Amino acid sequence: MYYEIVPMDRSHIPQIAALERECFSDPWSERLLEDALFDTQACFIVAEDGEEGNVLGYAGLHAVLDEGYITDLAVFSRCRRHGVGTALLRELERRGRALGLRFLTLEVRPSNAAALGLYRGMGYWEEGRRRDFYTSPREDALLLTKYL
């Protein structure tokens, strides 16, 4: 599977909104995604099919002082297990280092074994737990962090 990582732009938003609906119980709307384009503390990237330009996955990072918060990382189910999530995460880490961030952190459901495998395989470790963080279904969130 050939893809490239590019900055998110307006043309990606309908496909990313569909991806959000596929992956998350509380998905971002197209309006929220569009607002993210203008957030000066945020960076959103897309894994785009190299031939047709279709969105395969996307990820978002917010920087606050020297801390990085991964807000989203999602890959369409048909595109998983092809390195797309790994490539997105590596690019966020590269950008985080370029910004001088000390660490990146994120929340993940304990039941999301595939995501946990990806994050732990790339050096993210559990730093805490947020009780009842998720709804539909209600579940804690594991707080994972990687020091850059």
Side-chain angles (χ1 to χ4, degrees), residues 5-62:
I5 307 299
V6 299
M8 182 175 84
D9 65 38
R10 279 193 174 103
S11 71
H12 299 121
I13 289 177
Q15 290 181 70
I16 292 172
L19 175 58
E20 281 275 328
R21 290 188 298 273
E22 177 183 309
C23 294
F24 302 116
S25 61
D26 189 18
W28 286 31
S29 67
E30 287 190 26
R31 173 65 184 202
L32 286 174
L33 290 165
E34 189 166 322
D35 288 347
L37 290 172
F38 302 102
D39 185 340
T40 59
Q41 293 182 307
C43 163
F44 286 84
I45 56 175
V46 174
E48 200 176 59
D49 178 301
E51 296 174 12
E52 297 179 25
N54 292 320
V55 171
L56 308 178
Y58 94 111
L61 171 69
H62 276 87

Side-chain angles (χ1 to χ4, degrees), residues 50-104:
E51 296 174 12
E52 297 179 25
N54 292 320
V55 171
L56 308 178
Y58 94 111
L61 171 69
H62 276 87
V64 179
L65 300 174
D66 62 350
E67 302 173 355
Y69 299 92
I70 297 173
T71 57
D72 296 280
L73 193 148
V75 176
F76 278 109
S77 57
R78 68 182 182 278
C79 305
R80 293 180 188 152
R81 315 258 338 133
H82 293 282
V84 175
T86 300
L88 287 165
L89 197 52
R90 280 191 181 131
E91 180 61 14
L92 289 182
E93 290 174 4
R94 186 192 71 74
R95 289 173 183 236
R97 285 184 185 95
L99 290 169
L101 302 181
R102 287 184 310 117
F103 63 85
L104 297 180

